[in-house]
């Protein structure tokens, strides 16, 4: 009697990266895409967060929210292996977090490229395949070309893939950054303010591209943002960081007046207006929420996000 075939949950080099991964219905619980155990991160005497336990399952979409300086960007840097935990452990797909991990795709903020940069869209996307290593044989170059072409097709950027990066709009550049993150066939996508400086149409487009990837390939997503409304329909859970404290749960569990009032230690009102979340505070807390910010009031600026990246 033949044994039942084993269903693999990864893509081999000969498979199309656009093909959904089969998920066995009776298989044991899979390894978490991301696992944090009693994680603590501190800079000197300042603790950003501690006692953080988090398991992100394959295909799960986590929004990471909070005011500037709360440790959102530092969380991504730690998972990328750029910053070491002060205490606890962090794993990506069952292995310790480290630099150059090909299981991770990274989507940064949208930033305008300097004029004169000699880089085409296809070159930028190619860095997602081999930017972390040197030397490719003939077969490796052929596979690289296939992966780059597939990633560009996945985000619908074929028309301008060979154009200079500095000649493209912000939305077009950000599509290519998403393609770059997907080209390495990651298990985890780390997104650091990928909607910043984009108009509403491009915010929606980039969000949908990331959501499509996680649904078709079981890629887990950690999405740092100051603006939750564009991704609210896509989010499974929220990790909210404030002043060394945190709360994890569904948007309905975390984004409430009671929870945010507890985290900010003052009265905060959370309203739903035409399917959008509006957070209202008072005094200094209004300023803090404004910086936390766009997800509350729809407003933020590039310098604030850069401050978060520099100091959080």
């Amino acid at each position: 009697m033949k044994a039942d075939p084993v269903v693999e949950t990864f893509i081999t080099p000969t498979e199309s990266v656009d093909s959904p991964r089969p998920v066995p219905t009776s298989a044991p619980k899979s390894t978490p895409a991301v696992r944090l155990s009693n994680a603590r991160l501190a800079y000197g005497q300042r603790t950003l967060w501690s006692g953080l336990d988090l398991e992100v399952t394959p295909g799960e979409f986590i929004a990471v929210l909070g005011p500037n300086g709360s440790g959102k960007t530092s969380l991504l840097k730690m998972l990328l292996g750029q910053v070491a935990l002060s205490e606890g452990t962090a794993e990506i797909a069952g292995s310790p977090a480290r630099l150059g991990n090909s299981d991770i795709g990274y989507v940064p903020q949208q930033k305008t490229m300097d004029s004169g940069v000699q880089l085409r869209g296809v070159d930028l996307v190619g860095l997602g395949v081999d930017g972390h290593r040197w030397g490719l044989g003939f077969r490796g170059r052929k596979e690289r070309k296939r992966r780059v072409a597939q990633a560009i097709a996945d985000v619908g950027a074929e028309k301008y893939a060979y154009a200079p990066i500095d000649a493209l709009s912000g939305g077009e550049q950000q599509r290519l950054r998403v393609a770059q993150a997907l080209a390495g066939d990651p298990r985890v996508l780390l997104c650091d303010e990928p909607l910043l400086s984009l108009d509403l149409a491009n915010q929606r487009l980039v969000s949908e591209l990331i959501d499509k990837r996680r649904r078709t390939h079981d890629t887990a997503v950690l999405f740092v943002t100051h603006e939750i409304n564009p991704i609210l329909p896509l989010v499974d859970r929220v990790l909210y960081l404030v002043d060394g404290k945190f709360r994890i749960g569904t948007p309905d569990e975390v984004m409430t007046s009671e929870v945010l009032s507890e985290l900010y230690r003052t009265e905060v009102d959370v309203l739903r207006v035409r399917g959008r979340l509006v957070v209202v505070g008072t005094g200094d807390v209004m300023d803090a929420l404004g910086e936390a910010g766009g997800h509350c009031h729809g407003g933020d600026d590039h310098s604030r996000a850069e401050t978060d990246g520099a100091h959080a």
Side-chain angles (χ1 to χ4, degrees):
M1 178 177 179
K2 290 186 177 179
D4 292 335
V6 176
V7 179
E8 298 289 354
T9 58
F10 59 87
I11 291 180
T12 66
T14 58
E15 291 179 295
S16 168
V17 295
D18 194 42
S19 303
R21 298 180 181 182
V23 180
T25 57
S26 60
K29 185 177 179 180
S30 60
T31 301
V34 175
R35 175 186 281 145
L36 302 178
S37 300
N38 194 34
R40 173 176 173 268
L41 185 63
Y43 293 118
Q45 298 299 312
R46 181 177 176 233
T47 297
L48 294 179
W49 28 264
S50 63
L52 179 54
D53 294 316
L54 175 66
E55 287 195 2
V56 183
T57 61
E60 190 174 14
F61 197 124
I62 306 289
V64 184
L65 308 176
N68 289 342
S70 60
K72 304 184 301 297
T73 293
S74 289
L75 173 65
L76 300 193
K77 288 181 177 179
M78 181 273 298
L79 294 173
L80 287 165
Q82 298 173 355
V83 175
L85 281 173
S86 306
E87 184 179 319
T89 60
E91 295 180 351
I92 304 292
S95 299
R98 59 178 175 80
L99 284 170
N101 191 341
S102 61
D103 283 328
I104 294 178
Y106 176 66
V107 184
Q109 301 173 11
Q110 189 280 321
K111 294 183 180 180
T112 303
M113 291 285 185
D114 293 335
S115 178
V117 173
Q118 300 299 310
L119 192 69
R120 303 169 302 169
V122 69
D123 302 322
L124 179 69
V125 176
L127 294 175
V129 178
D130 55 19
H132 60 286
R133 65 179 185 269
W134 291 93
L136 290 172
F138 174 76
R139 293 181 64 184
R141 289 194 297 271
K142 185 177 180 180
E143 174 63 15
R144 179 190 191 275
K145 184 177 181 180
R146 185 194 68 80
R147 283 183 176 273
V148 169
Q150 183 66 64
I152 289 171
D154 285 347
V155 302
E158 298 99 321
K159 290 183 179 180
Y160 46 85
Y162 287 88
I165 287 290
D166 63 347
L168 302 179
S169 69
E172 290 169 341
Q173 289 181 13
Q174 200 65 342
R175 277 206 206 196
L176 290 167
R177 290 188 178 95
V178 174
Q180 180 191 44
L182 300 184
D185 190 25
R187 294 171 182 250
V188 179
L189 270 181
L190 303 180
C191 306
D192 189 9
E193 295 284 2
L195 309 183
L196 198 65
S197 302
L198 297 180
D199 59 29
L200 290 176
N202 279 305
Q203 285 184 353
R204 187 177 303 111
L205 184 147
V206 170
S207 300
E208 289 173 352
L209 289 174
I210 292 169
D211 184 57
K212 175 186 175 184
R213 169 68 191 202
R214 66 102 171 206
R215 292 184 183 279
T216 58
H217 289 74
D218 256 359
T219 303
V221 176
L222 272 74
F223 197 106
V224 169
T225 183
H226 282 67
E227 173 58 273
I228 191 175
N229 285 308
I231 62 170
L232 187 59
L234 315 177
V235 170
D236 295 310
R237 286 190 294 163
V238 169
L239 168 60
Y240 207 108
L241 305 170
V242 181
D243 194 24
K245 304 181 294 297
F246 61 87
R247 190 64 60 88
I248 305 168
T250 67
D252 286 340
E253 292 170 340
V254 174
M255 302 302 294
T256 69
S257 301
E258 294 76 17
V259 169
L260 294 193
S261 294
E262 178 184 342
L263 289 173
Y264 282 97
R265 299 178 184 175
T266 192
E267 186 174 351
V268 176
D269 292 321
V270 179
L271 311 174
R272 284 186 178 267
V273 180
R274 297 180 181 178
R276 294 175 62 86
L277 290 176
V278 180
V279 180
V280 182
T282 58
D284 292 339
V285 174
M286 175 63 81
D287 295 335
L289 290 170
E291 289 186 12
H295 75 266
C296 306
H297 308 289
D300 191 31
D301 58 39
H302 204 174
S303 62
R304 284 176 180 167
E306 289 179 338
T307 300
D308 192 22
H311 302 295

